[in-house]
Amino acid sequence: EPEVTQTPSHQVTQMGQEVILRCVPISNHLYFYWYRQILGQKVEFLVSFYNNEISEKSEIFDDQFSVERPDGSNFTLKIRSTKLEDSAMYFCASSGQGDPYEQYFGPGTRLTVT
Amino acid sequence: ELKVEQNPLFLSMQEGKNYTIYCNYSTTSDRLYWYRQDPGKSLESLFVLLSNGAVKQEGRLMASLDTKARLSTLHITAAVHDLSATYFCAVSSYANEKLTFGTGTRLTIIP
């Protein structure tokens, strides 16, 4: 069964450093998303991406964040200068066309900023 | 702004008992999702509810949707330990839109 994959599974970085989180969505999906979950809290939407551009972004997704689909398979989230409060689990999701437009989530990348 | 609330936040129940988790949302929406999350793991899709009155069942779990009341329920029948997890509901207003998640219900089944 097709699945969303994410790398790395765990990333430790120092405050101020840039990180890139990588995702490979399900191959025939057209809509891509990033969410984050701070430990013990609910899942929060960051950004959605369709047709090679951002379709919606949340207040969390400020100028320090960017997304890219550099080729036909990868979807990346870049944080330019990490802060302590960026420590969280980051989930990538993708969805296709046709009901129920279900979003399939990847296993997540745990980002720890020290 | 769409708000999604779940209750209870924490639920500890004995094996074999029945219970219901509630999910209320603040604005009109035509699609409601239930996910399960085990500690440190990703989100596993349980149910997608797309219309008023929709009811879906899988094993000991049954989900329903009342769009007029803006309420979805996840009913657990004869709970078993394997159902211990955090359950999230999520709402979107239209297809391929972002999901707005509820606060989650941490369910613990006690032998």
Side-chain angles (χ1 to χ4, degrees):
Chain A
E1 185 177 329
E3 59 182 18
V4 178
T5 60
Q6 290 184 242
T7 54
S9 57
H10 191 191
Q11 173 96 45
V12 181
T13 189
Q14 289 189 328
M15 196 167 50
Q17 295 296 304
E18 175 184 287
V19 295
I20 298 176
L21 310 183
R22 292 183 168 80
C23 168
V24 179
I26 294 173
S27 62
N28 62 348
H29 282 184
L30 302 176
Y31 300 85
F32 314 114
Y33 313 83
W34 283 101
Y35 295 84
R36 79 170 186 190
Q37 184 181 33
I38 295 170
L39 186 63
Q41 298 186 22
K42 69 177 181 180
V43 180
E44 300 174 290
F45 168 77
L46 291 178
V47 65
S48 57
F49 192 86
Y50 170 71
N51 199 25
N52 285 319
E53 61 182 26
I54 291 173
S55 47
E56 188 173 2
K57 60 184 180 180
S58 72
E59 291 178 353
I60 303 168
F61 194 88
D62 61 21
D63 292 344
Q64 293 300 313
F65 291 87
S66 63
V67 289
E68 195 177 38
R69 189 156 161 83
D71 53 41
S73 59
N74 289 283
F75 179 51
T76 63
L77 174 69
K78 181 192 291 186
I79 309 175
R80 287 189 184 81
S81 178
T82 50
K83 307 181 185 74
L84 294 175
E85 54 265 37
D86 293 327
S87 294
M89 183 75 97
Y90 289 79
F91 293 107
C92 172
S94 69
S95 63
Q97 292 179 313
D99 266 333
Y101 303 102
E102 187 174 351
Q103 291 185 26
Y104 293 84
F105 284 77
T109 293
R110 179 167 298 283
L111 177 65
T112 303
V113 182
T114 63
Chain B
E1 179 190 345
L2 175 59
K3 292 185 179 178
V4 184
E5 294 182 348
Q6 284 180 240
N7 69 83
L9 298 181
F10 299 94
L11 178 55
S12 182
M13 52 191 292
Q14 288 186 315
E15 277 189 330
K17 299 291 187 182
N18 304 333
Y19 210 82
T20 301
I21 298 171
Y22 298 89
C23 174
N24 290 91
Y25 52 96
S26 61
T27 62
T28 303
S29 170
D30 64 356
R31 47 196 70 231
L32 190 294
Y33 303 80
W34 283 97
Y35 287 89
R36 168 183 171 145
Q37 186 180 42
D38 292 302
K41 302 294 185 182
S42 187
L43 296 153
E44 175 191 353
S45 176
L46 295 175
F47 301 108
V48 181
L49 304 169
L50 298 178
S51 60
N52 187 41
V55 177
K56 290 196 175 180
Q57 183 163 4
E58 181 74 34
R60 301 175 186 274
L61 301 178
M62 183 173 72
S64 65
L65 178 62
D66 182 343
T67 58
K68 293 179 182 177
R70 298 177 186 166
L71 170 69
S72 180
T73 60
L74 180 66
H75 186 73
I76 303 147
T77 302
V80 293
H81 180 70
D82 287 352
L83 292 178
S84 295
T86 299
Y87 293 85
F88 289 96
C89 64
V91 175
S92 67
S93 296
Y94 51 86
N96 301 116
E97 195 209 20
K98 68 180 182 188
L99 296 179
T100 300
F101 281 82
T103 47
T105 296
R106 186 178 297 177
L107 174 64
T108 304
I109 309 295
I110 303 168

